[in-house]
Amino acid sequence: MPERAQALVTRLKLQPHPEGGHYAELYRSQATVQTARGERRGLTTIDFLLARGEHSAWHRVRSCEVWHLLEGGPLKLWLLSPDLMQLEAVVLDADKRSHVVPADWWQTAEPDGDYAYCGATVGPGFDFEDFAFGRDDAALRSAIGRLAPELHRLL
């Protein structure tokens, strides 16, 4: 891991994330909102770091997620629409520092530089009940094979 990335992991007390990379939850609101999926926290936010060679595995969140590039980068986000027809690549860098991933879109991320230190804010707040890994979804795996087979490495 690059020296600066390791320094951030240590200083911010980041832990290994199930998707890949390292994270720490910064905020989970006490206020709740009612959703079709039940009651959820209004907002959550984490610090998230990916070093060169790491990636955030293909996954889906049932809420909107805002990525903010805080340091390092660039960071490439791959996004796939819920109907598995539209694949997009978004690069966060000095010119574009944030991007909203709509609810229910599949996503994966990887740094194009030594590391990418980001904030990720989810509303309604993140709950593992609203999360799915792409490796567990046959339709997603098939769509990636059809649209961009080289992205299977990010499952």
Side-chain angles (χ1 to χ4, degrees):
M1 181 176 291
E3 187 176 326
R4 176 61 181 156
Q6 185 58 58
L8 286 167
V9 167
T10 301
R11 182 170 58 92
L12 300 171
K13 299 180 174 69
L14 303 180
Q15 301 298 314
H17 195 291
E19 296 167 17
H22 293 80
Y23 84 110
E25 185 173 87
L26 299 178
Y27 180 76
R28 179 170 291 273
S29 78
Q30 294 304 306
T32 59
V33 295
Q34 194 61 17
T35 74
R37 302 175 313 275
E39 190 174 78
R40 298 292 184 264
R41 299 295 178 162
L43 184 77
T44 57
T45 190
I46 63 170
D47 275 344
F48 185 65
L49 185 138
L50 290 169
R52 181 182 301 279
E54 295 180 323
H55 66 275
S56 171
W58 278 104
H59 66 282
R60 177 180 59 201
V61 179
R62 303 292 313 269
S63 298
C64 294
E65 182 170 4
V66 184
W67 284 77
H68 305 273
L69 180 64
L70 303 173
E71 184 180 313
L75 177 76
K76 184 174 281 183
L77 294 171
W78 292 99
L79 309 173
L80 185 57
S81 60
D83 66 4
L84 304 175
M85 299 301 292
Q86 182 182 347
L87 179 68
E88 299 177 9
V90 175
V91 176
L92 299 184
D93 58 18
D95 295 324
K96 179 177 177 61
R97 300 203 61 85
S98 64
H99 185 77
V100 177
V101 177
D104 294 317
W105 278 59
W106 291 97
Q107 59 178 300
T108 184
E110 59 184 337
D112 275 344
D114 284 342
Y115 70 97
Y117 166 47
C118 303
T121 302
V122 177
F126 180 83
D127 189 304
F128 270 107
E129 289 183 34
D130 301 332
F131 174 88
F133 273 116
R135 63 180 170 247
D136 299 329
D137 190 284
L140 173 74
R141 292 192 319 271
S142 176
I144 292 170
R146 176 176 44 85
L147 296 170
E150 71 278 9
L151 297 181
H152 270 281
R153 67 185 168 78
L154 301 174
L155 284 166

